[in-house]
PDB file of all heavy atoms in Angstrom:
ATOM      1  N   ASP A 899      34.822  51.648  49.847  1.00  0.00           N
ATOM      2  CA  ASP A 899      36.231  52.056  49.827  1.00  0.00           C
ATOM      3  C   ASP A 899      36.996  51.570  51.055  1.00  0.00           C
ATOM      4  O   ASP A 899      36.397  51.206  52.071  1.00  0.00           O
ATOM      5  CB  ASP A 899      36.317  53.580  49.788  1.00  0.00           C
ATOM      6  CG  ASP A 899      36.103  54.133  48.391  1.00  0.00           C
ATOM      7  OD1 ASP A 899      35.689  53.368  47.506  1.00  0.00           O
ATOM      8  OD2 ASP A 899      36.343  55.330  48.193  1.00  0.00           O
ATOM      9  N   ASP A 900      38.313  51.623  50.914  1.00  0.00           N
ATOM     10  CA  ASP A 900      39.248  51.469  52.037  1.00  0.00           C
ATOM     11  C   ASP A 900      39.339  50.043  52.581  1.00  0.00           C
ATOM     12  O   ASP A 900      39.470  49.851  53.795  1.00  0.00           O
ATOM     13  CB  ASP A 900      38.905  52.467  53.161  1.00  0.00           C
ATOM     14  CG  ASP A 900      39.057  53.904  52.698  1.00  0.00           C
ATOM     15  OD1 ASP A 900      39.785  54.131  51.707  1.00  0.00           O
ATOM     16  OD2 ASP A 900      38.442  54.793  53.296  1.00  0.00           O
ATOM     17  N   HIS A 963      42.930  50.772  44.897  1.00  0.00           N
ATOM     18  CA  HIS A 963      42.639  52.044  45.575  1.00  0.00           C
ATOM     19  C   HIS A 963      43.954  52.671  46.034  1.00  0.00           C
ATOM     20  O   HIS A 963      44.382  52.511  47.173  1.00  0.00           O
ATOM     21  CB  HIS A 963      41.707  51.767  46.759  1.00  0.00           C
ATOM     22  CG  HIS A 963      41.168  53.004  47.425  1.00  0.00           C
ATOM     23  ND1 HIS A 963      40.900  54.170  46.743  1.00  0.00           N
ATOM     24  CD2 HIS A 963      40.838  53.253  48.721  1.00  0.00           C
ATOM     25  CE1 HIS A 963      40.430  55.070  47.583  1.00  0.00           C
ATOM     26  NE2 HIS A 963      40.398  54.563  48.791  1.00  0.00           N
ATOM     27  N   HIS A 967      47.778  54.948  50.303  1.00  0.00           N
ATOM     28  CA  HIS A 967      46.679  55.776  50.819  1.00  0.00           C
ATOM     29  C   HIS A 967      47.200  56.871  51.759  1.00  0.00           C
ATOM     30  O   HIS A 967      46.506  57.338  52.652  1.00  0.00           O
ATOM     31  CB  HIS A 967      45.638  54.912  51.548  1.00  0.00           C
ATOM     32  CG  HIS A 967      44.243  55.499  51.524  1.00  0.00           C
ATOM     33  ND1 HIS A 967      43.853  56.507  52.363  1.00  0.00           N
ATOM     34  CD2 HIS A 967      43.154  55.198  50.776  1.00  0.00           C
ATOM     35  CE1 HIS A 967      42.580  56.810  52.119  1.00  0.00           C
ATOM     36  NE2 HIS A 967      42.132  56.034  51.156  1.00  0.00           N
ATOM     37  N   PRO A1017      42.563  57.605  45.913  1.00  0.00           N
ATOM     38  CA  PRO A1017      42.244  58.126  47.241  1.00  0.00           C
ATOM     39  C   PRO A1017      41.930  59.621  47.182  1.00  0.00           C
ATOM     40  O   PRO A1017      42.630  60.383  46.507  1.00  0.00           O
ATOM     41  CB  PRO A1017      43.527  57.855  48.044  1.00  0.00           C
ATOM     42  CG  PRO A1017      44.125  56.658  47.376  1.00  0.00           C
ATOM     43  CD  PRO A1017      43.839  56.867  45.909  1.00  0.00           C
TER      44      PRO A1017
HETATM   45 ZN1   ZN B1586      40.141  55.782  50.513  1.00  0.00          ZN
END
Side-chain angles (χ1 to χ4, degrees):
D899 280 11
D900 297 339
H963 188 33
H967 208 281

